[in-house]
Structure formats: C-alpha cells, structure tokens
C-alpha cells in the first residue's frame, strides 16, 4: 500500500471539499515523504564527495568533505575560470536544509485548515461536530440508530441556526463597538454568513500559500523558481542540459574553497565536489513545481465556485428544493413558496453551506434525510406559530351554561343546558298542562 494512499486517514474530520484535501492532506503527506527520503540520503548515505589533492590522506579527505558540506559550496559553469578570493560566487546555501524546508512547506500547507477549524468553533456551535455527526449518520446501518442519529444532527443544526439570530444586543457608543456593529450588518454571525466567509477566507489562504511559497523558494534557491518548470520544459524541448546552464537551482558538480593552517602557514585549496543529494532534490522540486501549479489551479477554481454559490440565491434554492423533492416534501405550490422562506429566514447562508458540506463529505441520501428533517421541524414550528397568532393566548371560547344532572346533582361533570332541556317539537305532560291552564 502506498503511503500517499493513507492521506484520507490522516485526519478524522470531514468538513472540507476535495480542493482543501489536496492541500491539507495529500500535499502534506507528499512533502513529509520527500523530507524523509532526503533525510535518509543525507544522514545514512554520502551526500557529498570532493576530489581532494593527491597528498591528502584519509583524514584530510574526510575533513574536506565535512567542511564543504557544512560551509556551502558554489556553482561554477565549466567555461568560467575559478574566481579569486574577493570575487562573487553563486553560493549554494540550501542543500543541507532541504528536509527542514520541505517540512516547513508541509506546515504552511496545513495552516489554512488550522485556521478554518480554529475559527469555526467560534460560531456558537461547533460546526465540526455537526459534520462529524452527519458522517456518522451515513455509516449507520440499524434503523433505530439511524433515526436517533438523524434526530441528533437535526437538533444540532437547528440549535446552530437559532444561535445565528439577533438577540437585540445593546448599542455601545465607542469606536470599537461602532465599527463591529457596522461590519456585522453586512457579514458575520448575526447575518448568517459567518461560516461561508470564513470558508472563503481559508480558501484564499490556500491560494496565497501556494503563490507565496513560489516566491519564497526564489529567494531560498537563488533562482526564478516560479518559472522553474517552464524553463525545464523549454530546455528539454531544445535538447539542452539544464543541469549545466549558467544559473542552476540544483547543481550536481560544485566548487569549494577552504584554507588549512600548516606549520604556521595558511594554505588555500579549491576542490571540486559532487552532490548526489541534488539529484533527488532536483527531481523533487520539478515535481513540486507542477504539483503546486495544479493545487493553485484547483484551489482557485474551488474558490470561484463557492463564491458564486454564496452570491447566487437561486443556486442555493435549487439545491435545497432538489433534496426536498426526493422525499415529496414540495407537493403543493404553498410548499414551494414556503421553501423560499425556509432558505432565506431559517437556513440562510450558513445553513445552506453546512448542507453542501454534508453533501460533499457523505452522500446524497444522507443530505436528503437531514434536509427533510430540518424542513419538517421548521414547518411544524411555523404552523404552530400561526395557530398561536390566530388564537392568542388567554382568549378562550365562551363556555355554554350547564345544568346539573337530576339523578346525580353532585356529579362533577355537568350536562349542558341545551341537552338538559327537551326539544321544542317533543310533547310532554308538563307542556300539555300549561296549555290547558291558558
């Protein structure tokens, strides 16, 4: 089994989409694997070998190799002369630090997901917990457990959505609270788009991370790394050896200057060294250039797609209605109209966003079940609210007068007066007696 195939198990949370997983999971695993490979070649193998003068003994050769590995070497094209002591050199200062550079890159690729998880818990209810429960629902087979889990996740989402509503906070007439109140009118928790904006910000962090790493590697490698892949392709097409150009990111043959004190005299030596480690570094960073370009494109497309979903109400409405239709929840025109209110006033941006994340990380059936459970819960609440509005509390129907039961006058259940009196069209002895008297 490949190590990269273990990437989906590197994190248990299922609260992102495919483009995020490429950066925070797969890229991190790839970089860590590369760091391990380079470290093994550095500390187990022989990372550098220098061609020492003939009179150097074994200890001298070992000293030369160690010194040139620690003190950096410099690249010199074959047609150039060896520079003098005061002349500039194209120093290669990074090859000892490649494993740490790779690990640093892995940390920065993982950082946006830390921001996403760290700040979405500030939403009032942990959105990660909601998505984990939804994922557990998709894996549940027993009907009883499934119903219980469905009720749990629907209550969690309902509690989260209810916490978005404004509680009528008091105004504070200072600059900090005035600025906060102004911003919260267009975005934030009370408006119902806090998670959406945070998610879009995390995607911008993914894109910015890739672009920033391209330019930072320019400084570290001393070359135009943001065009590195294109230059390699051009040299391959032109049948040029890019490893021997005037400016090489990972030269395999370098020069090293060092001085030795012998009997009070200082002797200066210039030796030629081979860096086998750069054979790995070169291939790794050629692959990483194309991989980071792929990650940047995928992250950019994903950001645009989520931004359009955020801006286009009809797309969110279509998404919600499609899941409601699958369980015949929109059979009448009245239900279709209520679905608009369900989206705008109940789910809002964050609710629809959570349902989309559930769809991305579970399956269509689970998303439909949760959407319909929220719909039934919200619809029952709306209908009960309308009943209370039509029959205000305290306003009761006027009770009819009652007459006691003749056989049991002490009976607690009184008989209505209309039932106690005989009907008008029935003839009784009492009635006949009264008529004769008249």
């Amino acid at each position: 089994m490949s190590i990269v195939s273990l990437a989906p198990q590197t994190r248990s949370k299922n609260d992102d989409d495919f483009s995020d997983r490429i950066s925070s999971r797969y890229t991190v695993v790839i970089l860590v694997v590369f760091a391990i490979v380079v470290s093994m070649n550095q500390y187990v193998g022989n990372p550098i070998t220098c061609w020492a003068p003939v009179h150097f003994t074994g200890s001298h050769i070992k000293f030369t190799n160690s010194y040139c590995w620690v003190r950096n070497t410099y690249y010199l094209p074959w047609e150039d002369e060896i520079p003098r002591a005061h002349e500039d050199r194209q120093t290669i200062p990074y090859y000892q630090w490649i494993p740490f550079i790779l690990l640093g890159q892995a940390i920065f690729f993982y950082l946006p997901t830390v921001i996403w998880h760290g700040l979405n818990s500030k939403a009032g209810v942990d959105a990660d917990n909601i998505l984990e429960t939804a994922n557990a629902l998709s894996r549940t087979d027993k009907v009883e457990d499934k119903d219980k889990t469905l009720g749990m996740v629907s209550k969690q989402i309902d509690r989260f959505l209810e916490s978005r509503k404004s509680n009528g906070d008091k105004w504070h007439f200072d600059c900090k609270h005035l600025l906060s109140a102004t911003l919260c009118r267009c975005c934030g928790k009370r408006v119902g788009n806090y998670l959406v904006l945070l998610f879009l910000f995390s995607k911008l962090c993914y894109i910015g991370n890739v672009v920033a790493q391209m330019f930072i590697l320019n400084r570290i490698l001393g070359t135009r790394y943001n065009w590195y892949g294109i230059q390699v392709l051009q040299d391959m097409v032109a049948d040029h050896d890019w490893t021997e150009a005037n400016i090489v990111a990972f030269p395999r043959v370098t020069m090293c200057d060092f001085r030795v004190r012998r009997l009070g005299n200082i002797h200066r030596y210039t030796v030629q060294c081979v860096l086998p480690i750069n054979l790995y570094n070169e291939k790794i960073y050629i692959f990483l250039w194309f991989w980071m370009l792929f990650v940047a494109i995928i992250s950019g497309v994903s950001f645009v797609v989520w931004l359009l979903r955020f801006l286009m109400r009809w797309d969110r409405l279509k998404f919600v209605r499609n899941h409601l239709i699958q369980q015949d929840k929109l059979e009448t025109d009245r239900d279709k109209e209520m679905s608009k209110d369900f989206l705008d006033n109940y789910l809002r941006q964050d609710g629809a966003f959570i349902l989309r994340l559930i769809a991305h990380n579970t399956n269509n059936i689970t998303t439909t079940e949760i959407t319909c459970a929220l719909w039934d819960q919200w619809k029952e609440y709306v209908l009960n609210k309308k009943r209370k509005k039509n029959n205000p509390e305290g306003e009761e129907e006027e009770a009819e007068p009652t007459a006691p039961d003749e056989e049991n006058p002490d009976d607690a259940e009184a008989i209505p007066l209309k039932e106690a009196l005989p009907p008008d069209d029935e003839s009784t002895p009492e009635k006949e007696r009264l008529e004769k008297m008249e």
Side-chain angles (χ1 to χ4, degrees), residues 75-83 241 244-248 272:
Y75 174 67
L76 186 69
W78 292 104
E79 61 272 11
D80 292 356
E81 295 181 356
I82 296 177
D241 188 358
E244 297 182 0
N246 290 330
I247 299 178
V248 180
Q272 186 170 287

Side-chain angles (χ1 to χ4, degrees), residues 91-95 97-98 100-102 104-105 108 212-225 249-250 285:
T91 306
I92 314 297
Y94 53 80
Y95 50 81
W97 309 104
I98 289 295
F100 301 100
I101 294 172
L102 291 169
Q105 288 182 257
F108 280 106
Q213 287 201 27
M214 287 282 194
F215 285 94
I216 291 174
L217 287 173
N218 284 351
R219 301 285 297 176
I220 294 175
L221 303 180
T223 185
R224 297 179 61 189
Y225 185 75
F250 302 97
Y285 275 96

Side-chain angles (χ1 to χ4, degrees), residues 14 50 60 70 89 105 113 128 159 161 224 227 244 264 319-320 337:
N14 297 277
C50 296
H60 293 157
V70 173
R89 292 163 174 76
Q105 288 182 257
T113 195
D128 292 340
R159 185 166 64 249
L161 296 175
R224 297 179 61 189
W227 299 102
E244 297 182 0
F319 171 79
V320 172
E337 288 298 320

Side-chain angles (χ1 to χ4, degrees), residues 18 84 221 421-422:
F18 176 70
R84 298 181 183 276
L221 303 180
L421 294 176

Side-chain angles (χ1 to χ4, degrees), residues 47-100:
I48 189 172
T49 302
C50 296
W51 188 7
V54 179
H55 61 273
F56 274 26
T57 62
S59 59
H60 293 157
I61 295 174
K62 187 176 180 180
F63 169 81
T64 302
N65 291 335
S66 299
Y67 181 89
C68 293
W69 173 257
V70 173
R71 289 291 297 173
N72 304 330
T73 60
Y74 60 92
Y75 174 67
L76 186 69
W78 292 104
E79 61 272 11
D80 292 356
E81 295 181 356
I82 296 177
R84 298 181 183 276
H86 61 277
E87 294 179 347
D88 295 333
R89 292 163 174 76
Q90 185 183 338
T91 306
I92 314 297
Y94 53 80
Y95 50 81
Q96 311 97 318
W97 309 104
I98 289 295
F100 301 100

